[in-house]
Amino acid sequence: MTQAPTARPPSRRRHDREIIALAVPAFGALVAEPLFVMVDSAIVGHLGTPQLAGLAVAAALLTTAVSIFVFLAYATTAAVARQVGAGDLASAIRQGMDGIWLALLIGAAVVAVTLPLAPWLVDLFGASTTATPYATTYLRISSLGIPAMLVVLAATGVLRGLQDTRTPLYVAIGGFAANGALNAGLVYGAGLGIAGSAWGTVIAQVGMALAYLIVVVRGARRHGASLRPDAAGIRACAQAGVPLLIRTLSLRAVLMIATAVAARLGDTDIAAHQIILSLWSLTAFALDAIAIAGQAIIGRYLGANDPQGAREACRRMVQWGVASGVVLGAVIILARPAFVPLFTSDASVQDTLLPALLVVALSQPISGVVFILDGVLMGAGDGRYLAWAMVLTLAVFAPVALLVPRFGGGLTALWGAMTLMMTVRLLTLWVRTRSGRWVVTGATR
C-alpha cells in the first residue's frame, strides 16, 4: 500500500513520473470499457440486422444507466486518496467499502426498475418492431449485471485512491478477453443468439466485480478494516455523490442536446456528427486518464496536509493538459486524410465533417485544461462547485445550440457551440482553482 508523502513537494520530474505511472494504466482501462460493446456488436452483427439494431438500443440504455452513477468511482477515489495521504489505510479501505455497498444498493434498485420496464424503455428509444424483441431480451438479461458493473466502478475508485491504476487495467483486460470468449461460445456454440451475448457480458462483469472484491477484501484484512455495511458511511458516500450525479446529468444533457440538434440538421449532418463524437470521445479517454491521476494525487496531498504539494501537482498537470491537447489537436488535423475515409466514403458527409473536425482539433488544448481541472477539483472533493459550474454551463450551451438550425452554420456552428461549452467550463474551473478555496486539507473534507 502507498505511504503518505512527505510535506516537501516533489520535483517536476517526480510529478511527471507519478502522473505517467497512474495515467497510462488508467488510459488502458478506460479504452477497454467500450471494447465490450464493440465485441458484442461484432458477434451479434452476424446474427442479422434486427439483432444488431436491438443490441444498439439496449446497449445505449445500459451505458446511460451505468454512466449516470460514475460518481461511485470519482467520489470514492477522492475520499480514499485523502485517507491514504493521512496515512490511515484502514480508514481508506473502510471508506472504499462504503462506496461498494452503496453500489450494490443502487444496482439492486436499478435492476428492480429495469426488469419490468424493459419493453417500455426500448419503445421510448424508438426501436423498430423487428428490433424490439431482441432489444428487450438483451436489456432484461444484461440488467442483471448492473450491480456488478457498479461494484466495478466503486472498486476502481478504491484502487485509484490507493494510487493503484495497474490492477484495474489487468482486470479490464481479463474481462475483455472473457467477454469475447463467452459471447462467441454462447451465441454460436450454445446457439443462444442475442441472449447468449447478454449472458456472456453478465458473466464477464460479475467475474470482474469478484476480482476487484478479492483485492479489496485482502487489503481490508491486511489492515484490519471492517467489511460490514455501515449505514452512516454509506449515507455519507451517497451525499458526497449527489453533486457529482448532478454534474454528470448536466453533461449528459449537453451531449443529448447536441445530438438532437445535429439530427434536425439532416441525415448528412447527423452522420458526420456521430463520427466526430466518436473521435471526441476517444480523445476524452486520453485526457480523462490524466484527470484520474489528478484525482488520486490531489486527494493524497490534501489528506497529508500538504497544500503546497497539491498546488504544485495541479500546476504541473495543467501543463500536461495543455501539451496533451496540442498534440491531440495536431494529430486530428494531420491524420484527417487517413482516418476520415475509414468512417465514410460519402463525399457529402466528408465535406460536412472536415470543417467541424477542424474546430474540434483547435479546441483540444481547452479540453485538456478542462479535464485536468475537473479531475483536480474532484480529487479535492469539491463536488458542489462542480455541480453548480456544470449546470451553469448547460444553461449557456442549450440556447446557443438550439439556435443553430435557425441561424445556419450547420454542423460547424454546432461544434462551435460545443467549443463554447468547453470554454465556459474552463472559465468556471479556472476561477475556482485560482481562488484556492478547493484547497481543504485533512483526512476528510
Side-chain angles (χ1 to χ4, degrees):
M1 295 294 182
T2 303
Q3 299 298 319
T6 60
R8 182 181 179 182
S11 66
R12 174 179 294 188
R13 184 173 298 175
R14 183 178 170 188
H15 275 311
D16 290 344
R17 285 198 299 266
E18 275 193 319
I19 293 169
I20 292 171
L22 291 171
V24 172
F27 175 71
L30 289 170
V31 170
E33 293 174 11
L35 292 178
F36 271 78
V37 177
M38 290 179 62
V39 168
D40 289 2
S41 299
I43 293 174
V44 171
H46 291 285
L47 294 174
T49 300
Q51 290 90 332
L52 184 58
L55 171 65
V57 172
L61 285 163
L62 285 167
T63 301
T64 299
V66 173
S67 64
I68 286 173
F69 300 110
V70 72
F71 72 83
L72 289 166
Y74 294 157
T76 304
T77 297
V80 171
R82 277 182 176 269
Q83 295 290 350
V84 169
D88 190 349
L89 293 176
S91 294
I93 297 174
R94 173 65 263 176
Q95 288 205 313
M97 284 304 305
D98 292 336
I100 290 174
W101 282 112
L102 177 62
L104 285 170
L105 292 173
I106 293 174
V110 174
V111 172
V113 171
T114 304
L115 284 176
L117 295 182
W120 178 80
L121 291 169
V122 168
D123 184 63
L124 184 66
F125 261 58
S128 67
T129 54
T130 55
T132 292
Y134 297 111
T136 303
T137 297
Y138 190 93
L139 181 59
R140 277 182 166 156
I141 296 174
S142 293
S143 68
L144 300 176
I146 288 178
M149 295 179 195
L150 298 186
V151 166
V152 167
L153 282 179
T156 299
V158 175
L159 295 180
R160 288 173 180 171
L162 293 170
Q163 319 296 295
D164 176 9
T165 56
R166 289 182 178 272
T167 299
L169 173 61
Y170 300 148
V171 174
I173 293 173
F176 170 71
N179 181 63
L182 286 166
N183 269 260
L186 294 175
V187 171
Y188 297 111
L192 296 180
I194 195 169
S197 176
W199 280 117
T201 299
V202 169
I203 295 170
Q205 292 288 352
V206 170
M208 291 173 66
L210 290 175
Y212 275 117
L213 290 175
I214 290 172
V215 174
V216 174
V217 168
R218 284 178 177 173
R221 289 175 175 172
R222 187 180 305 117
H223 297 284
S226 173
L227 297 172
R228 295 179 180 180
D230 176 65
I234 294 172
R235 186 166 54 251
C237 186
Q239 290 172 346
V242 168
L244 294 180
L245 175 61
I246 294 171
R247 168 201 169 274
T248 300
L249 289 173
S250 299
L251 183 56
R252 296 292 299 183
V254 165
L255 298 177
M256 289 176 65
I257 290 171
T259 300
V261 170
R264 291 172 62 187
L265 295 174
D267 290 347
T268 298
D269 290 85
I270 187 63
H273 173 76
Q274 185 59 37
I275 294 171
I276 294 176
L277 193 61
S278 299
L279 181 64
W280 192 70
S281 299
L282 181 61
T283 62
F285 284 135
L287 298 174
D288 200 28
I290 306 174
I292 287 169
Q295 294 173 33
I297 293 169
I298 294 298
R300 193 189 73 221
Y301 276 119
L302 294 178
N305 292 305
D306 186 2
Q308 182 61 26
R311 291 190 180 94
E312 290 289 337
C314 173
R315 187 176 301 113
R316 185 55 180 161
M317 281 183 286
V318 167
Q319 293 170 354
W320 269 76
V322 173
S324 299
V326 170
V327 170
L328 289 171
V331 169
I332 291 172
I333 292 173
L334 296 175
R336 279 187 306 167
F339 69 76
V340 169
L342 297 177
F343 288 97
T344 179
S345 58
D346 189 322
S348 62
V349 174
Q350 291 184 4
D351 291 342
T352 302
L353 173 69
L354 292 177
L357 199 58
L358 182 61
V359 173
V360 173
L362 294 176
S363 68
Q364 285 303 298
I366 296 175
S367 297
V369 178
V370 166
F371 273 85
I372 297 306
L373 295 183
D374 203 43
V376 166
L377 296 184
M378 280 186 191
D382 204 6
R384 289 186 179 180
Y385 183 84
L386 288 172
W388 173 86
M390 198 61 227
V391 170
L392 174 63
T393 300
L394 173 61
V396 173
F397 169 78
V400 175
L402 293 173
L403 288 173
V404 167
R406 176 175 296 184
F407 290 99
L411 191 64
T412 302
L414 175 59
W415 277 93
M418 289 288 284
T419 301
L420 172 65
M421 179 270 295
M422 294 301 288
T423 302
V424 173
R425 289 187 70 190
L426 173 63
L427 292 174
T428 56
L429 297 174
W430 185 262
V431 167
R432 184 64 167 183
T433 307
R434 292 287 294 176
S435 73
R437 294 179 182 177
W438 59 279
V439 184
V440 179
T441 59
T444 57
R445 182 177 172 88

